[in-house]
Amino acid sequence: MLKEALIDKLDYEELSNCMRCGFCQPACPTFRETGYEAASPRGRIALMKAVADGVMQPDQDFVDQMNLCLGCRACEPVCPAGVPYGQLIEQTREAIEEVQEHPTWVKAVRKLAFTHLFPRQDRLYRLGSMLRFYQRSGMQKAVRKLGVLRILPKQLGEMEAIMPDASGKGITQYLGATVIPAVGERKLRVGMFHGCIMDVLFNETNLNTVRLLTEAGCEVVIAQGQVCCGALHAHSGEREEARNLARKNVEAFSKAEVEVIVSNAGGCGALLKEYDHLLENDPQWHEKAKWFSSRVKDISELLVEMVEPDTWAALPESKRITYQSSCHLRNGMKVTKEPVNLLQSIPNATYVPLREGDRCCGSAGIYNLVQPEMAGNLLDEKMGHVAATQADILVTSNPGCLLQMKAGIKRAGLEGQMEAVHIVDLLAGVRRKNGTSSDLRA
Amino acid sequence: MLPEHIRSELRAIVGEKHCLDRQEALVAYSYDATPMQQSLPDVVVMPQSTEEVQQIMRVAAKHQIPIVTRGAGSNLCAGTIPVGGGIVLVLNRMNQIVEIDEQNLTITVQPGVRTADIHQAVEAHGLFYPPDPGSMVISTIGGNIALNSGGLRGLKYGTTKDYVLGLEAVLPNGEIIRTGGKLMKDVAGYDLTKLLVGSEGTLAIITQAILKLIPKPQTQRVMLAMYADMSQAARSVSDIIANRIIPGTLEFLDQGTIRVVEDFKQIGLPTDVAAILLIGQDGEAETVDRDIDKISAICKKNDAVQIKVATTPEEADEVMTARRSALAALSRMRPTTILEDATVPRAQIAPMVAAIQEITERYGLHICTFGHAGDGNLHPTCMTDARNHEEIERVEDAFAEIFQAAIDLGGTITGEHGVGIVKAPYLEWKVGAAGIEVMKGIKQAFDPHNLLNPGKMFAKETRNRVVVNRA
C-alpha cells in the first residue's frame, strides 16, 4: 500500500539525481545527533529510492526515519547536484499520510487542526479570544499556581509558559482598513501576508510589519480572502489541503493587484515562494501560482532594498545582538544576508555572530511536540552557542523559532539576561531617524 | 542473514543501540559515493574503541564473517560496498582528536575524525595538515589513510601518505599492531605504515593514526589564466615548474567544464577558451607575491588570452568559484555523474586531454575534464543516466580506453580515488601479473582467510568492465 503510494508520489528523476556524495551530512541536525546514515538526507533519499526500486518494503522503521527529519532543508544549499530534498520528504510524508491508519484520537486532532482550524481564520480569532480570556482573567495565574502544567507533557508545559499574549482580532480588524497608505511618497504596492497563527498570537508583529512597510514608502494591502499558507499541512503530509489553501491565497493576492507579496515568517514565506511547485500539476492554477511565487519576498529583503541603512535610529542604550536564522527563510527563501545587514545598520547595536546560527533550533513546526527528545537535544546545543555570544537580544525571523528561543532562554536559565525578539519588532522599536512615524493604532 | 547467536555476540560488544540489523539500516549502509554500486550487509556495527574493534574482529574471525570498514562512505571506487555481505564496521563514533603535540608537530587521531575537523583544530595552533581531498568536509581521516587520498595541494605538499607517521591497527587475527611513531626516521624492518596507507581496508583495521604537521603558511594568493589552446596551458604548467616555482595549487578546467560552469554560475568566464588554469601560491608574503608575478609573466608568454589575479579576499573567492563549482555544475546536467581519475606525468596532460576528447567523441558521450594539472591527476567526468543501459555500456568501453591511454602515456588508472571494485579489473594493466602476485602474497600474509574487505582490489576473473556489472 505505502509502496504504491510512494511510487506514485515520489519524483524518481530527483531521486536519481542524488549522487550519494554525502556533502549533505555535516549540515543535517539529525545525522549529527545520531551518527546514523539512515538519519541523514543521503540515507533518507537512499531509503526512498530503495522502496521505489523494490529493494525494500517501507516498514515502520522507514516511516520513523522519515518522521525524524526536521524538514529544515539545511541539506539543500550544500548539495552539489541541487536535489530538492524538501520536496522529496514532503512527497514521502504525503504518501505516508495517505495510507497511514492513525488512532481515532490522532485522526480527530489532525482533522481539527488541519481542516477545521488552520484554514479557518475566523475560528482562529475566536480561539485567540478564548486564549486571551485565559491569559487576562487570572485563570492562567491560577492554573500555574495549581501546578496543572505538571500533568501536561513537558514540552507542552514549556510551550504554555512562553505563550505570547493572544489576540481575538486580526490585523485587519485592528486597523479597520485593508489598504494602508504609504507615509510620504508611494513607491510600491505591497500585499501583506498576515499568516494564521501569526495574526492571532503575534498581532503586534503584524502591526509592526505594516508600520515598517508604510514608513519605507509602501502602500500596504491586506488582501482579503487570504488564508493559512499551508506549510504545516505540507510538512505533515497533507499536501492536498495545502494546495487548496494555496489556490485561495493566489486568488486573493492576484485580485489585490500587488507588486510584491511580503511575508514576515520564514516558514510561511518559503512555501508561498514554492506555490508554483506545489501547484505544478494543476494546469488551471500553475501560471497564476508562478505569478504569485515570483512576487514573494521576506520583509527583511524589502527593507534592505527600500531603506537607506544609515537612517535607522539608535538604540537607547548599547546592546549586543545575535541572530538565529530561520531554516525556511534561509534554505527555502534563500534569504541569508539581509536580516544581518539590517541588524548591523542599527546604531548602538553590536552584532555578534551566533556559532551555527544557520542550524535548526529544533522547533520545526510541531516537531518539538512530536519529537521532544531530538528537539530538546538540538535546543540545548543551540542554547550553549547562544549563551556564548553573551548577547542581550536574540533575534529570529519566524514565529516558531521565536517561541523555541523563548523556551530555550528559560530552559538554559538565561532569563533576565537575554530576550528573544522578532526582527520586525526590534526594528519597529528602533524606527527611523528622520522618517515620519505612523501611529497606526490611533 | 547472520544467525542470531552471532548477532547477539556483536550486540554484547557494542550495545544494542550500536548494532543495527533492521532493513532500513542495512539499506543505508549498502552504498557509498560510487554510482551504480549497492550491496546489503548482514549487520552494521559501530564500535567506540580499539578494544571493541578487536573483539568484533575476533567474532568475525571465529565465524569467518567478512568485514568492510567504513568512515563517511564518500569514496568513489566502491571501496566500502559490502559485496559479500557480512559486517559493515562503521568507525565514525571513534572521532576523537587524541592529542596535538606542538613539540613534535604531530596530531594523534582516531579514524572517525573528519578531515576538515583536523584542519580546523591544527590551524587554531598555527599549524597545517596539507592533504585536502575534495570530500574533506565529510570524509574521515581513516578513509583518507585507507585510500591514500590526494587533493588540490598534492604537487607542493604531497598526499596523505606523506603525512602518516604511525598507525595502530587491528589485524584479521585480532592482534593489535603499532607501526612507526612520532619520529621522522625509522628503518626498522619493512615499512608497515606505508603498506597500510592505501591498503583500502584489505589488510588491517586502522584504529589510530599519528600525522605529521607543518607550520601554517602565512599568506595565500590565487589567479586564473585562460587559454585558446590546450597545449599553451600545458606548456605554462611545465614552464612554471621549470622555473623552479612549485605552486600550492595548480588546477585545470577544459572547455566543456568551463561552458557548464559558466552556464551554471554566470561568473563571466569566456566560453570559447580551451582551458583555464587556476593557480595558487602560499607561503611568506614576499615569496608569494614574487611567485604570482613570475607565474603571470609565464602565462602571458604562453599566450594566455586573459589573466585574472585576485588582489582581495573577495576576488580570490570569485576566482576559486570556477574550480569549486565544477562538480556541482556538471552533476546537475544528467542524473548520473561518473567522476573518474586517470593520472599521467604532468608533461603528458595535453596529449591525455586530447585522447579523452577523441574517445568521448568516438563513443558519442558527454565527458568533461577537470583536475589537478600540477600533479597530472585528471578527472574525466561523464554525465549519463544509469537507467540507459545501452549508453552505460558505451561509457564502460570509453573509460576502459581512457585508462589504457593513461597507462600508455606513463600514467596510472587511479591517482587518488583508489582501486576498490571499479578499478580492480584494470589493476593488472598497471602493475603487471607479477605485481598482482606480490600484492596477493601480502594480502595472504595479513589476512589468510580473506575476511577484510573481500572482493576489492583484485578482480575475481579477468573482466575489463568497470562501471556497472553487465548482468
Side-chain angles (χ1 to χ4, degrees):
Chain A
M1 271 285 271
L2 177 52
K3 187 180 160 189
E4 283 72 37
L6 280 163
I7 290 171
D8 179 46
K9 305 269 187 257
L10 276 168
D11 184 338
Y12 194 81
E13 199 67 30
E14 290 298 353
L15 287 180
S16 309
N17 281 336
C18 171
M19 304 197 282
R20 297 172 171 174
C21 65
F23 278 38
C24 51
Q25 292 188 335
C28 174
T30 55
F31 176 75
R32 280 169 33 122
E33 194 63 28
T34 63
Y36 294 144
E37 178 74 27
S40 76
R42 173 171 77 167
R44 293 191 182 103
I45 289 176
L47 295 180
M48 295 172 198
K49 189 159 185 296
V51 171
D53 289 344
V55 174
M56 75 178 275
Q57 286 296 323
D59 51 12
Q60 190 55 43
D61 293 328
F62 173 89
V63 172
D64 289 346
Q65 212 46 267
M66 298 303 146
N67 287 338
L68 190 67
C69 170
L70 294 143
C72 73
R73 294 165 62 181
C75 46
E76 288 185 31
V78 292
C79 173
V83 175
Y85 173 84
Q87 288 177 33
L88 292 173
I89 193 79
E90 281 184 13
Q91 289 160 0
T92 303
R93 287 180 178 171
E94 186 182 13
I96 292 172
E97 240 6 270
E98 197 172 286
V99 299
Q100 197 166 48
E101 281 301 317
H102 286 301
T104 320
W105 73 270
V106 176
K107 259 194 231 163
V109 171
R110 286 183 70 99
K111 183 107 183 138
L112 176 73
F114 290 131
T115 316
H116 296 300
L117 204 54
F118 292 125
R120 292 288 301 268
Q121 202 61 32
D122 53 333
R123 291 185 182 158
L124 281 177
Y125 294 141
R126 241 178 290 152
L127 195 69
S129 299
M130 280 154 61
L131 200 57
R132 189 181 164 82
F133 176 76
Y134 166 79
Q135 288 169 332
R136 297 281 173 91
S137 63
M139 216 156 103
Q140 186 173 44
K141 267 192 195 143
V143 164
R144 287 182 180 175
K145 227 179 196 163
L146 287 169
V148 176
L149 298 175
R150 274 195 301 256
I151 63 163
L152 289 175
K154 191 163 164 264
Q155 298 292 313
L156 275 178
E158 284 182 1
M159 289 318 275
E160 198 277 349
I162 44 98
M163 190 65 80
D165 287 342
S167 162
K169 284 198 267 181
I171 180 85
T172 315
Q173 293 97 313
Y174 223 103
L175 297 175
T178 58
V179 180
I180 305 101
V183 175
E185 184 203 349
R186 182 185 103 163
K187 296 180 196 150
L188 201 65
R189 186 171 155 94
V190 174
M192 182 189 165
F193 184 78
H194 62 50
C196 55
I197 305 277
M198 198 73 199
D199 213 30
V200 173
L201 285 184
F202 298 90
N203 196 284
E204 187 67 29
T205 307
N206 273 351
L207 207 61
N208 283 332
T209 302
V210 176
R211 274 195 191 114
L212 290 170
L213 288 173
T214 50
E215 287 168 25
C218 301
E219 175 183 51
V220 177
V221 185
I222 300 166
Q224 292 306 286
Q226 61 172 298
V227 288
C228 167
C229 66
L232 285 177
H233 302 79
H235 302 160
S236 308
E238 305 279 346
R239 296 250 291 180
E240 206 39 59
E241 187 60 41
R243 285 186 198 102
N244 287 334
L245 294 166
R247 289 184 197 103
K248 284 185 188 156
N249 283 324
V250 170
E251 184 70 20
F253 281 88
S254 60
K255 264 191 196 152
E257 293 176 345
V258 293
E259 294 164 272
V260 166
I261 297 160
V262 74
S263 144
N264 59 14
C268 308
L271 191 74
L272 298 178
K273 212 165 176 159
E274 285 161 8
Y275 272 3
D276 54 339
H277 285 295
L278 190 64
L279 294 172
E280 69 190 341
N281 295 324
D282 185 338
Q284 207 192 325
W285 285 85
H286 190 213
E287 278 308 310
K288 276 192 195 173
K290 275 202 242 172
W291 174 91
F292 182 96
S293 292
S294 66
R295 271 159 187 75
V296 174
K297 280 191 177 165
D298 184 66
I299 174 85
S300 59
E301 287 179 278
L302 209 53
L303 291 177
V304 166
E305 269 171 40
M306 300 188 67
V307 176
E308 290 295 324
D310 56 0
T311 58
W312 294 101
L315 289 174
E317 51 188 309
S318 78
K319 299 265 187 199
R320 286 168 74 84
I321 297 186
T322 195
Y323 176 65
Q324 161 63 26
S325 171
S326 143
C327 295
H328 283 92
L329 183 64
R330 192 182 63 253
N331 306 320
M333 297 189 82
K334 314 269 186 272
V335 175
T336 51
K337 295 188 201 99
E338 289 83 353
V340 174
N341 288 350
L342 287 168
L343 297 178
Q344 283 172 329
S345 56
I346 304 174
N348 243 353
T350 311
Y351 167 72
V352 207
L354 174 62
R355 185 171 162 219
E356 297 191 342
D358 59 352
R359 192 135 351 244
C360 182
C361 63
S363 165
I366 53 167
Y367 188 91
N368 50 358
L369 299 178
V370 291
Q371 301 275 0
E373 195 189 335
M374 179 65 76
N377 292 348
L378 295 175
L379 182 58
D380 288 341
E381 198 186 347
K382 172 71 59 194
M383 294 322 290
H385 297 323
V386 166
T389 64
Q390 297 184 306
D392 306 297
I393 304 172
L394 169 58
V395 176
T396 72
S397 35
N398 184 59
C401 312
L402 181 63
L403 289 182
Q404 180 84 340
M405 289 301 96
K406 287 187 174 190
I409 287 173
K410 239 182 151 85
R411 198 170 150 124
L414 294 167
E415 278 172 302
Q417 298 171 45
M418 184 185 289
E419 54 172 338
V421 180
H422 192 290
I423 190 163
V424 160
D425 297 328
L426 180 76
L427 290 171
V430 174
R431 309 293 272 275
R432 307 254 293 288
K433 269 187 239 166
N434 43 11
T436 344
S437 67
S438 51
D439 202 355
L440 298 166
R441 270 188 215 253
Chain B
M1 185 68 142
L2 294 178
E4 170 54 30
H5 69 95
I6 297 177
R7 281 180 290 147
S8 78
E9 279 182 59
L10 294 170
R11 274 198 294 271
I13 298 166
V14 290
E16 193 83 28
K17 220 179 131 192
H18 301 296
C19 180
L20 317 170
D21 56 7
R22 307 246 277 251
Q23 201 192 189
E24 133 261 21
L26 302 185
V27 168
Y29 291 95
S30 67
Y31 55 83
D32 54 32
T34 321
M36 296 178 280
Q37 299 282 344
Q38 193 158 10
S39 179
L40 296 175
D42 292 305
V43 63
V44 178
V45 189
M46 307 174 91
Q48 207 179 12
S49 67
T50 305
E51 292 65 37
E52 287 182 9
V53 174
Q54 187 176 34
Q55 290 173 42
I56 294 162
M57 191 67 245
R58 285 193 172 132
V59 170
K62 186 169 78 182
H63 303 289
Q64 298 285 295
I65 305 160
I67 290 196
V68 180
T69 315
R70 176 187 169 108
S74 55
N75 76 88
L76 293 160
C77 66
T80 43
I81 308 270
V83 266
I87 299 170
V88 164
L89 189 78
V90 181
L91 290 179
N92 68 359
R93 287 178 69 226
M94 289 177 65
N95 58 0
Q96 298 305 306
I97 292 177
V98 180
E99 180 199 45
I100 295 176
D101 181 343
E102 296 196 56
Q103 297 293 316
N104 288 307
L105 291 191
T106 60
I107 181 169
T108 305
V109 291
Q110 290 189 318
V113 179
R114 286 190 312 152
T115 318
D117 288 342
I118 293 180
H119 285 165
Q120 210 186 357
V122 304
E123 281 172 32
H125 293 259
L127 297 170
F128 191 43
Y129 174 72
D132 60 342
S135 55
M136 67 175 186
V137 293
I138 52 160
S139 70
T140 59
I141 191 66
N144 287 179
I145 294 170
L147 286 161
N148 187 10
S149 303
L152 270 63
R153 297 195 269 251
L155 167 64
K156 181 171 178 176
Y157 292 105
T159 56
T160 305
K161 69 177 187 308
D162 301 304
Y163 294 87
V164 182
L165 295 176
L167 292 171
E168 175 193 81
V170 175
L171 296 174
N173 63 9
E175 295 292 316
I176 294 174
I177 53 166
R178 290 185 181 85
T179 73
K182 289 180 181 177
L183 19 111
M184 297 301 144
K185 290 180 176 174
D186 181 6
V187 292
Y190 292 145
D191 189 346
L192 296 181
T193 312
K194 283 282 194 290
L195 191 54
L196 291 183
V197 177
S199 64
E200 303 190 10
T202 60
L203 301 181
I205 302 167
I206 295 164
T207 49
Q208 191 159 301
I210 302 169
L211 307 172
K212 180 172 88 174
L213 303 174
I214 60 174
K216 192 181 168 204
Q218 196 185 57
T219 51
Q220 199 175 3
R221 291 187 65 189
V222 285
M223 58 176 282
L224 281 185
M226 303 166 206
Y227 298 87
D229 191 316
M230 183 58 224
S231 62
Q232 294 162 342
R235 209 170 335 111
S236 300
V237 173
S238 311
D239 285 358
I240 291 167
I241 291 157
N243 272 277
R244 309 288 181 266
I245 303 168
I246 307 292
T249 310
L250 187 33
E251 297 289 300
F252 152 82
L253 307 177
D254 77 349
Q255 187 175 45
T257 313
I258 297 165
R259 284 190 179 154
V260 176
V261 167
E262 182 52 28
D263 204 39
F264 172 55
K265 278 271 169 175
Q266 282 105 40
I267 45 180
L269 299 175
T271 49
D272 54 346
V273 295
I276 288 182
L277 292 179
L278 166 73
I279 307 161
Q281 183 58 301
D282 56 16
E284 299 280 330
E286 280 170 35
T287 321
V288 171
D289 289 349
R290 198 191 58 212
D291 283 356
I292 290 285
D293 288 348
K294 275 194 190 169
I295 294 168
S296 302
I298 292 167
C299 296
K300 239 176 246 161
K301 209 188 88 207
N302 282 307
D303 301 317
V305 290
Q306 202 183 325
I307 293 172
K308 242 181 166 170
V309 180
T311 51
T312 63
E314 293 73 32
E315 278 177 31
D317 204 51
E318 225 171 78
V319 162
M320 291 293 288
T321 309
R323 173 63 177 88
R324 272 199 218 115
S325 321
L327 181 59
L330 292 173
S331 65
R332 285 170 202 230
M333 299 189 60
R334 303 271 308 271
T336 310
T337 308
I338 302 172
L339 177 69
E340 274 302 350
D341 79 326
T343 303
V344 290
R346 66 175 159 257
Q348 304 293 343
I349 285 179
M352 186 65 209
V353 171
I356 295 170
Q357 271 166 2
E358 187 273 321
I359 294 165
T360 303
E361 277 162 35
R362 188 148 42 81
Y363 280 95
L365 296 170
H366 195 169
I367 299 179
C368 296
T369 305
F370 63 97
H372 318 299
D375 52 33
N377 183 196
L378 296 177
H379 293 305
T381 302
C382 183
M383 280 65 68
T384 179
D385 188 336
R387 290 165 290 183
N388 183 343
H389 295 279
E390 182 275 324
E391 184 173 300
I392 291 295
E393 291 198 6
R394 274 187 286 135
V395 173
E396 289 177 16
D397 293 341
F399 271 121
E401 285 203 32
I402 288 172
F403 299 137
Q404 187 61 58
I407 289 175
D408 292 346
L409 290 167
T412 182
I413 54 168
T414 171
E416 60 183 6
H417 289 179
V419 176
I421 296 172
V422 297
K423 295 289 177 62
Y426 303 111
L427 186 61
E428 196 174 324
W429 295 5
K430 167 66 188 159
V431 303
I436 294 271
E437 279 319 301
V438 173
M439 288 187 186
K440 282 186 172 167
I442 293 170
K443 168 75 174 168
Q444 178 73 21
F446 273 85
D447 184 16
H449 302 292
N450 196 22
L451 296 177
L452 287 182
N453 213 359
K456 310 297 162 66
M457 200 99 87
F458 308 110
K460 257 190 194 152
E461 64 265 23
T462 26
R463 179 176 69 98
N464 64 353
R465 303 291 174 201
V466 246
V467 182
V468 74
N469 297 320
R470 281 187 184 180

